Amino acid sequence: MGKKTAFKHEKPEDSAGFLLWQITSLWQNKLSAVLSAYGITQTQFAIMASLKWFEEHNEETTQAHLVEHAKIEKMTVSKSLRSLENKKLIIRAKSKTDARALNISFTKEGIKIINQAIVAIERADDAFFSSLSAQQLRQYKSIVTKIIKNNGI
């Protein structure tokens, strides 16, 4: 007679969600270690990296665009922007074209920090995923992109 269990899977590693939890935890630990040298959190990095991307690709630099792009909750983005502003890494200013919007830009120190942090994170990214072949990495990105699109905000 089989033992009763609440679990669907025979082993924890059979659960896609548990694997996601494990890889996320490992990745976040690595990011925290890298970003501590720059005095910013992972959320602040994601916001700053998105802002840098927007600036380089002539996209709007509004808080709303950051929320949509980074998939971070509106309140979290707002609190993080306030913290980045207090650290004198970004400036928030009313939009000249939309009275409801705030445009975000970097201070000189902010651009210096994000440029250095991007290089450090991209190195960490390469090291973290180095066990995958180029083809496996393309497949991983394709699968994760599909999941994000299917479950996005």
Side-chain angles (χ1 to χ4, degrees), residues 31-51:
L31 283 186
S32 289
V34 170
L35 293 173
S36 67
Y38 303 99
I40 58 174
T41 67
Q42 293 171 45
T43 301
Q44 291 168 346
F45 172 79
I47 289 168
M48 292 176 73
S50 294
L51 180 58

Side-chain angles (χ1 to χ4, degrees), residues 35 40-57 66 69-70 72 84 90 106 110-111 113-115 117-119 121-122:
L35 293 173
I40 58 174
T41 67
Q42 293 171 45
T43 301
Q44 291 168 346
F45 172 79
I47 289 168
M48 292 176 73
S50 294
L51 180 58
K52 175 76 169 145
W53 180 268
F54 297 164
E55 286 184 353
E56 289 185 4
H57 293 85
L66 284 167
H69 178 81
I72 302 170
L84 290 168
I90 60 119
F106 287 108
I111 198 70
I113 294 287
I114 194 55
N115 285 336
I118 287 170
V119 171
I121 290 297
E122 287 183 344

